[in-house]
Amino acid sequence: MYSMTPAMQLCMAISQAQSQLANSLNSTLSCHGISFTELMVLHELASAPNLTLRRIELANSVGLSASGVTRLLLPLEKIGLIQKEQNARDARVSLVKLTPVGQQLLIDAMQSFENRADSSTQTLTETQLQQCLALLAQLQNQSN
């Protein structure tokens, strides 16, 4: 049997925790008809200037490939949460814009997300939450 180093154990634990949390969040957000990844996409668009991002910027911000975000956006466009726009200066650039319907769904879904996030972290103090955020930021910076 292969013994794992503490760094390997940490990577495994983070991956398992992320999977469990994603499943819990997906279950919570299903009443809004979206997944957690879709919520992240809507949130990124809501935070962008003019509620619009290039497809590749959106993919990078939520950790998906360009083709992965394209597949994710199709159903969101069909139900009217986002719309595609052409870049006036470069027709090769595909833009994605959050619609008013998408904005309202995001507002509603963020309340459910906040409730689930609060219940998922209720055993942690504010200091522990801040420490976790700082440590995860360090790991993210190291990975880039």
Side-chain angles (χ1 to χ4, degrees):
M1 174 82 60
Y2 190 86
S3 66
M4 294 200 308
T5 66
M8 294 166 69
Q9 292 172 8
L10 177 64
C11 288
M12 287 274 210
I14 289 171
S15 179
Q16 290 168 341
Q18 185 277 332
S19 179
Q20 291 170 347
L21 184 58
N23 288 339
S24 174
L25 291 169
N26 284 332
S27 176
T28 296
L29 294 169
S30 67
C31 67
H32 300 284
I34 61 171
S35 68
F36 180 58
T37 304
E38 291 166 331
L39 176 91
M40 291 191 314
V41 164
L42 297 177
H43 182 265
E44 287 298 320
L45 289 170
S47 302
N50 299 322
L51 308 176
T52 305
L53 284 173
R54 290 180 20 224
R55 208 177 281 250
I56 193 69
E57 292 169 332
L58 190 54
N60 290 336
S61 68
V62 296
L64 293 174
S65 65
S67 61
V69 83
T70 298
R71 283 190 302 276
L72 186 83
L73 293 175
L74 290 174
L76 296 178
E77 184 179 22
K78 283 184 182 178
I79 60 174
L81 302 180
I82 58 114
Q83 63 189 33
K84 291 183 211 170
E85 290 187 349
Q86 291 296 331
N87 186 325
R89 289 180 272 186
D90 188 347
R92 297 169 295 173
V93 175
S94 180
L95 300 173
V96 181
K97 181 174 181 121
L98 186 63
T99 65
V101 172
Q103 290 175 55
Q104 185 58 55
L105 185 129
L106 177 61
I107 289 167
D108 298 339
M110 286 299 281
Q111 185 61 55
S112 297
F113 173 45
E114 180 180 7
N115 293 339
R116 173 54 68 189
D118 287 346
S119 69
S120 295
T121 59
Q122 66 185 352
T123 61
L124 301 176
T125 66
E126 187 64 31
T127 300
Q128 289 171 322
L129 283 172
Q130 293 305 319
Q131 288 171 334
C132 284
L133 287 170
L135 290 169
L136 287 171
Q138 275 185 292
L139 288 173
Q140 284 177 314
N141 290 334
Q142 188 71 26
S143 297
N144 292 335

